[in-house]
Structures are given as structure tokens and as C-alpha cells.
Amino acid sequence: MKTDEFIAFLAKGSAVEPTPALRNKLFWAFSMAGLLSLALAFTIIGAQPAEALMTPTPWMKFAYTVSLAVAATFLTIRLARPVANRRAPSVCLGLVLLAMLAYGAYYLAITPEEAKGQTLFGQTSLLCPWLVLLVSLPGLFVLQIALRAFGPVQLSQAGFACGLLAGAIGATAYALACPEDSPTFVAVWYTLGIVLTSAVGAISGRWLLRWD
Amino acid sequence: MSESNEFNDKTASVATGHPFEREIAPIWRLAQTGDEKAYEQALRLIAQRLRAFFRRRMNNTPEDAEDMVQETLLAIHTRRHTYDNAFPVSAWIMAIAKYKLIDFWRKHGRRDNLTDEFDDTDLSQQSIMTAGAATSNLADIQKLLNQLPAKQRQAIELIKLLGLSVSEAAQQTGLSESALKVQVHRGIKQLTALVAQKSP
């Protein structure tokens, strides 16, 4: 078809602006990711008793994972579109990460020598990153499918951001099922799980985020 | 288009250094407000820019470059509601063009040298094509349209092919204007998917 005719064809009756539908889609995917992660965490590992919410431990975890999720949402939305300025959200992410690592290191430093191993490794350090990844995967899938509608062009980076977001959501859900209570443990093993999810997101993004 | 020059907005006058950005930005912003004439004009400008971009980068035939121009225009069309005013339009457009070019290389690789141009191959078919040139494009569209759900097909036929305005089409079908617009939008998306399926 001649390009001129094609342009006329596209332009005719074209005053269509369904932007809200797109935002709703992302919000919906975000909620789905949260629900899926929660459901998985509760069925695979089982919830902590409700009294645990009265202690500061889960709130320390939430503070970290929710801040990460907020920064990751920011980054994901930026990378969702063809032109992206990702400096501000990247700086936010870096600050959250740095703060948690610093807190974890400080907590380890003030722990008496004989308890350091327990503070760092807890009971579940070998499992924790993998469980965070597992709990996050369905959300990652849903988020990437939703993100495709925006037309991202840097597929690996957008996939990575999606993974970070899914990982942070997954870790928040996992915190409700996780028995560990040391900030050092969270700073190391939760972070590792979220990074794993991001890596999977960067790889799967090359396929799942591709659009025509 | 005198009103396009008067259209002024601070947010989008960021990267006005590039001549293409200077030219396209006011028309594009007008088009985003729903002005069809401005939109068509914007697409024509964009097509020129894309043609130069693809011809310079593709060693294949001009036909391939033109296909890429159209494919990129379609991508811009179906994604234009995701355009964010914070960025220069030209950067947005060229980012999509680059994505499309990389996608083309990924799909075709080097094997492309082995395929023949359609125009050079089947002369008998070509004469049929030129005889019915005016109708052949419509026939192609009609074939694709027949694969769409009835509502989407009807909406596209009325608005895009017969050239009715949205309100006229709404009167004729008894559907609301926004419902029609949504049907057209979905229909175009579906068509994109169908075309993408056919061209490997």
C-alpha cells in the first residue's frame, strides 16, 4: 500500500485517547502480582501467627521492601515508554538499597561475637532467596505482559525494572511468612532474592516485552 | 495550518534545538488534542523523517525501507496514547524507529539477501495488480477485515473506509461515540496483530 494512502487511513476518525485504560491495566497487574505473591507465600510456607505483627520485625521488613517497590514502580513506569529518563528512580533505588545494607552491617557489628552467625544466616538463609524468587515469578509474568502495552524499547532494562518490582512485591508477601527477625538477614538474603528476580526479569523481558 | 503556530506550551518546548523537533512538536501537540488534520500532517512529516532514517540504514531495497516506514507509523499510531509530554516527540519517534529497525534485523538477519523482490518476480501477477491497483489495497484490507469481530469490522468500515465522522457513524449504528472509537481502536490493534502474523 502507498504510504500516503496508509497515512490517510490511519488519520481518519482517529481522535482516540484511551489513556486511562492503560493506567488501569498497570494498576490491575500490580494488584494481581501482590495477590499472587501472597497466595503463594501462604500456601507454600504458611503465614506467621498474627501476633508477629505486634513486634517491630515485620515492619522493619515492610519498610525496606515497600520502599523498594515504590522506587521500582517509578523506574518501571519510566522504562515502559520509548524514551526514558531513569536517573531519578535509579538514585532512589540506590539510596534504599544502601540504607538497608548500612543498617544490616551496623546491626551485625553491634551483635556479640557468638551470635553473629545466627544474625547473618538465621535458620533459612539457603532457602530464603529462592523462595522470594518463587513467590515473585507469577507477578513478574503478569507485570511484564501488562507493560508490553506501553511499547518499551529497552527490553532488558524494562524487564529488569519489572523484576525488581515483582521481587519487592514478592518479598513483602514473603515477609508475612518468614520467621527470621534480624535486619542483617533481610539486608543480605531478601536483597539476593530480589536481585535474582530482577535477573530473571531482564532475561524474560527480552521475550515477554517484545511487541509488534 | 496557521493555528498550529500559535499553539504554545512550555512543557514540550524542551529540546527544540533539532529542526525536526521544531517542525513536528507544535503539530503533534495539536494532533494529540484530537485534531485529525493536524494528525495527518504530523504523520506525513514523520513519514519523511522515517524514510530518510531507514533508507540510510538499510542496504536492502527502497521497498523494504518503505515497509519499515509504514510499520513504524502504525506503531506510532497504536501507541500514541502512551506518549509522555515530558519528552521531545522526535526522540520518542526515533526510539520507536530504532526499536523497529533492530526488530527487523533480528527477524531477517542476513538471509534477506536470498529473497527476491516481489516486484521482480511474477510479471503476470504484477499486471493483474496494476490493472486493479485502485481496488487492490481495499481488497487487501477487506480480506483482513473479514477476520475481525463484526462490531470492530463495522466501526472500521464506517469510519475509516467510508469516511463517516464518528458522530455520523454513531447515528447510523445506534452505538455511542466512545463505544465506536473503542471498537476502531481495538480493530486496528487486531489488524496489526493479523498483519504481524502473516509477515514472518
Side-chain angles (χ1 to χ4, degrees):
Chain A
M1 201 194 295
K2 293 279 192 308
T3 303
D4 267 1
E5 297 170 26
F6 183 66
I7 287 174
F9 175 74
L10 289 182
K12 224 181 272 175
S14 61
V16 195
E17 290 292 315
T19 315
L22 208 65
R23 283 206 202 103
N24 291 345
K25 203 173 197 173
L26 205 63
F27 178 75
W28 189 83
F30 190 92
S31 318
M32 270 300 281
L35 285 177
L36 284 167
S37 295
L38 266 183
L40 264 180
F42 285 173
T43 47
I44 296 178
I45 311 139
Q48 286 290 294
E51 300 87 75
L53 286 175
M54 310 303 268
T55 67
T57 308
W59 300 103
M60 172 269 296
K61 295 174 182 170
F62 292 154
Y64 175 49
T65 56
V66 171
S67 323
L68 264 189
V70 170
T73 306
F74 196 17
L75 182 67
T76 305
I77 290 175
R78 283 289 173 87
L79 281 169
R81 294 195 167 95
V83 192
N85 180 356
R86 55 178 189 280
R87 193 185 303 153
S90 306
V91 168
C92 288
L93 268 169
L95 286 179
V96 173
L97 210 63
L98 217 64
M100 192 62 209
L101 288 176
Y103 181 42
Y106 166 75
Y107 191 84
L108 188 65
I110 59 164
T111 320
E113 202 59 49
E114 63 277 12
K116 275 193 176 19
Q118 171 65 23
T119 302
L120 181 55
F121 295 106
Q123 307 293 325
T124 57
S125 62
L126 279 180
L127 262 177
C128 169
W130 300 108
L131 284 175
V132 170
L133 172 65
L134 181 68
V135 160
S136 308
L137 281 182
L140 174 63
F141 183 77
V142 173
L143 281 168
Q144 289 196 333
I145 294 296
L147 202 68
R148 187 162 57 183
F150 285 78
V153 293
Q154 294 139 309
L155 301 185
S156 295
Q157 290 183 33
F160 182 87
C162 256
L164 212 56
L165 176 54
I169 294 173
T172 309
Y174 180 74
L176 286 167
C178 165
E180 303 292 344
D181 58 4
S182 122
T184 312
F185 183 93
V186 173
V188 175
W189 305 107
Y190 275 46
T191 306
L192 193 60
I194 295 168
V195 168
L196 273 176
T197 315
S198 312
V200 172
I203 295 164
S204 68
R206 299 194 69 84
W207 311 104
L208 287 178
L209 292 176
R210 181 163 284 140
W211 49 275
D212 276 305
Chain B
M1 194 112 319
S2 63
E3 66 266 42
S4 68
N5 297 329
E6 289 157 25
F7 196 90
N8 210 345
D9 182 72
K10 274 178 197 156
T11 53
S13 57
V14 198
T16 44
H18 196 283
F20 176 58
E21 177 66 23
R22 265 207 306 273
E23 199 177 3
I24 189 76
I27 307 172
W28 178 261
R29 263 173 281 139
L30 204 59
Q32 287 289 84
T33 63
D35 183 329
E36 267 178 48
K37 284 251 169 56
Y39 184 52
E40 187 167 342
Q41 199 193 349
L43 285 182
R44 282 185 206 291
L45 273 175
I46 293 168
Q48 277 175 20
R49 178 75 184 85
L50 291 176
R51 201 167 289 130
F53 175 84
F54 285 120
R55 289 211 175 147
R56 212 176 310 132
R57 283 165 185 77
M58 292 168 70
N59 288 330
N60 316 61
T61 59
E63 284 83 0
D64 273 343
E66 202 58 30
D67 280 353
M68 290 300 289
V69 171
Q70 294 191 3
E71 214 174 289
T72 310
L73 284 175
L74 185 59
I76 289 168
H77 179 75
T78 52
R79 315 255 149 185
R80 72 193 191 287
H81 55 288
T82 71
Y83 167 71
D84 182 345
N85 287 318
F87 297 109
V89 210
S90 55
W92 182 73
I93 290 164
M94 295 330 283
I96 294 179
K98 271 178 210 148
Y99 172 86
K100 281 288 172 189
L101 186 62
I102 291 167
D103 208 41
F104 176 86
W105 282 334
R106 185 182 61 81
K107 279 179 186 160
H108 295 255
R110 293 165 189 220
R111 282 170 301 153
D112 226 35
N113 296 333
L114 300 174
T115 57
D116 294 325
E117 256 323 300
F118 170 76
D119 289 345
D120 306 333
T121 46
D122 199 333
L123 286 174
S124 61
Q125 205 169 1
Q126 201 180 29
S127 61
I128 296 171
M129 291 293 282
T130 45
T135 52
S136 67
N137 293 334
L138 275 180
D140 283 347
I141 295 178
Q142 199 60 51
K143 228 182 277 170
L144 285 168
L145 278 176
N146 286 337
Q147 299 178 45
L148 294 185
K151 271 191 181 169
Q152 294 173 10
R153 187 176 65 224
Q154 189 193 25
I156 289 183
E157 277 171 351
L158 289 176
I159 294 171
K160 297 284 185 182
L161 298 183
L162 291 177
L164 296 187
S165 74
V166 179
S167 56
E168 283 168 347
Q171 275 183 349
Q172 203 166 44
T173 54
L175 291 169
S176 75
E177 286 189 28
S178 50
L180 269 175
K181 285 178 183 174
V182 170
Q183 293 301 339
V184 170
H185 185 74
R186 287 192 188 147
I188 296 263
K189 275 215 152 156
Q190 186 72 30
L191 285 176
T192 316
L194 286 171
V195 173
Q197 264 174 21
K198 286 195 174 166
S199 56

